[in-house]
């Protein structure tokens, strides 16, 4: 009975993984062919999609702008989310609960509501020019910062509170204790939050649509517009872009897990 149960659980897990990864692998396969549509005929293998991806000036500009926006928004979000988590952790119980509840609202709130609200506040009420990047950066920071907060807070709860107090007793100022004692303990959570913020920024569509300048496109908005057009060469080049993003994510996840296990092993050995 136990063996049959294990087989059923393994089959169910394999089915779930197949639903998640088979479409991605299929898209990756077609990115190395001369096919014009997924499911269409394949006459030969080809790197033309990757050549187009890096040779097309519009695609290069779009990718560069998206990456720059993602890293900038992730950096701001990481600073704000980390400071917010530390401040909430060391606050009184009532204030801590209030901050935690306030942080949950942007997480569960629909992106379209957040994007439209930022658009109304900054562009309509405050008169900020939409052709600037201010609304876009603020929108992505509002999206990402709560997730950084959620990544850092568990590390704070796992941390030994006596370390901070010991640093103060040994003569460190509160800022020195924060930088030299608390922050190093939180680095895994901060790094996870930073990577999550980059992913969220790269993936966002609704907030970007409401807040971006008219001449600027991210990967998400560009893909949506490209799929509505008739430029087959651009559409198939986006298969190559999707494949590269997937490969980068897999490599980053593997590296983060390897580094995390290495640190855990070093701490255990000590």
């Amino acid at each position: 009975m136990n063996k049959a149960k294990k087989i059923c659980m393994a089959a169910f897990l394999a089915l779930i993984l197949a639903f998640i990864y088979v479409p991605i692998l299929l898209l990756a396969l077609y990115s190395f062919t001369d096919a014009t549509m997924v499911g269409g005929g394949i006459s030969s293998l080809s790197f033309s999609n990757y050549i187009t991806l890096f040779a097309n000036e519009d695609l290069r500009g779009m990718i560069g702008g998206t990456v720059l926006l993602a890293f900038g928004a992730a950096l701001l979000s990481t600073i704000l989310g980390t400071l917010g988590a530390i401040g909430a952790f060391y606050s009184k119980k009532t204030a801590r609960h209030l901050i935690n509840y306030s942080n949950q609202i942007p997480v569960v709130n629909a992106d379209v509501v957040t994007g439209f609200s930022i658009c109304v506040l900054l562009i309509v009420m405050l008169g900020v020019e939409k052709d600037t990047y201010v609304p876009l950066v603020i929108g992505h920071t509002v999206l990402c910062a709560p997730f950084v907060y959620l990544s850092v807070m568990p590390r704070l709860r796992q941390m030994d509170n006596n370390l901070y107090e010991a640093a103060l007793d040994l003569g460190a100022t509160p800022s020195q204790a924060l930088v030299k004692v608390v922050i190093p303990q939180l680095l895994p959570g901060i790094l996870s939050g930073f990577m999550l913020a980059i992913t969220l920024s790269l993936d966002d569509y609704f907030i970007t649509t409401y807040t971006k300048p008219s001449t600027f496109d991210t990967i998400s908005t560009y893909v949506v517009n490209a799929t509505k057009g008739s430029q087959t060469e651009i559409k198939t080049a986006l298969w190559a872009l999707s494949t590269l993003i997937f490969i980068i994510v897999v490599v980053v996840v593997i590296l983060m897990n390897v580094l995390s296990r290495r640190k855990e092993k070093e701490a255990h050995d000590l």
Side-chain angles (χ1 to χ4, degrees):
M1 182 65 181
N2 289 334
K3 186 176 181 180
K5 185 177 180 180
K6 289 181 180 179
I7 293 175
C8 291
M9 292 178 63
F12 182 69
L13 178 60
L15 184 63
I16 294 176
L17 292 175
F19 272 113
I20 296 174
Y21 290 105
V22 167
I24 299 175
L25 296 176
L26 183 63
L27 182 65
L29 173 63
Y30 270 87
S31 71
F32 290 99
T33 68
D34 60 353
T36 58
M37 59 184 298
V38 176
I42 300 175
S43 58
S44 64
L45 297 178
S46 173
F47 289 95
S48 60
N49 293 327
Y50 292 87
I51 295 174
T52 302
L53 179 63
F54 293 104
N56 187 287
E57 186 176 351
D58 289 339
L59 287 174
R60 290 202 313 270
M62 176 269 296
I63 295 171
T66 303
V67 172
L68 184 62
L69 170 65
F71 273 89
L75 180 60
L76 290 174
S77 301
T78 301
I79 294 172
L80 294 175
T82 301
L83 293 178
I86 293 173
F89 184 77
Y90 288 106
S91 297
K92 294 182 179 179
K93 185 176 180 180
T94 302
R96 182 168 64 253
H97 287 319
L98 179 61
I99 296 173
N100 285 334
Y101 294 147
S102 300
N103 186 77
Q104 292 175 12
I105 295 175
V107 173
V108 300
N109 193 27
D111 285 358
V112 64
V113 176
T114 301
F116 188 69
S117 300
I118 292 173
C119 178
V120 170
L121 174 64
L122 295 180
I123 299 175
V124 178
M125 297 183 64
L126 299 181
V128 178
E129 293 291 335
K130 188 177 180 182
D131 286 337
T132 67
Y133 292 92
V134 174
L136 178 61
V137 174
I138 291 177
H140 278 235
T141 303
V142 170
L143 170 69
C144 300
F147 290 92
V148 176
Y149 178 100
L150 293 176
S151 297
V152 174
M153 186 58 75
R155 300 295 303 186
L156 279 165
R157 291 170 179 162
Q158 295 171 8
M159 186 182 67
D160 186 356
N161 293 332
N162 295 327
L163 292 175
Y164 179 76
E165 297 176 0
L168 296 178
D169 292 339
L170 292 172
T173 63
S175 58
Q176 289 175 333
L178 176 64
V179 174
K180 295 183 178 180
V181 177
V182 176
I183 297 296
Q185 297 290 321
L186 304 180
L187 278 180
I190 294 174
L191 181 59
S192 297
F194 180 75
M195 296 306 301
L196 179 59
I198 290 177
T199 302
L200 289 170
S201 178
L202 290 173
D203 186 59
D204 180 72
Y205 173 75
F206 289 106
I207 293 177
T208 304
T209 299
Y210 281 111
T211 58
K212 75 179 183 67
S214 57
T215 57
F216 180 77
D217 268 313
T218 62
I219 291 174
S220 58
T221 58
Y222 192 94
V223 167
V224 172
N225 294 330
T227 54
K228 295 178 180 178
S230 56
Q231 294 179 291
T232 303
E233 186 180 51
I234 298 298
K235 291 180 182 179
T236 55
L238 293 175
W239 300 350
L241 177 60
S242 301
T243 302
L244 290 177
I245 292 174
F246 177 71
I247 292 173
I248 292 172
V249 169
V250 170
V251 172
V252 169
V253 169
I254 292 174
L255 288 176
M256 288 179 63
N257 279 276
V258 170
L259 293 175
S260 178
R261 291 182 180 179
R262 184 175 299 174
K263 287 185 177 181
E264 290 178 359
K265 184 179 180 181
E266 291 175 355
H268 183 267
D269 292 339
L270 292 175

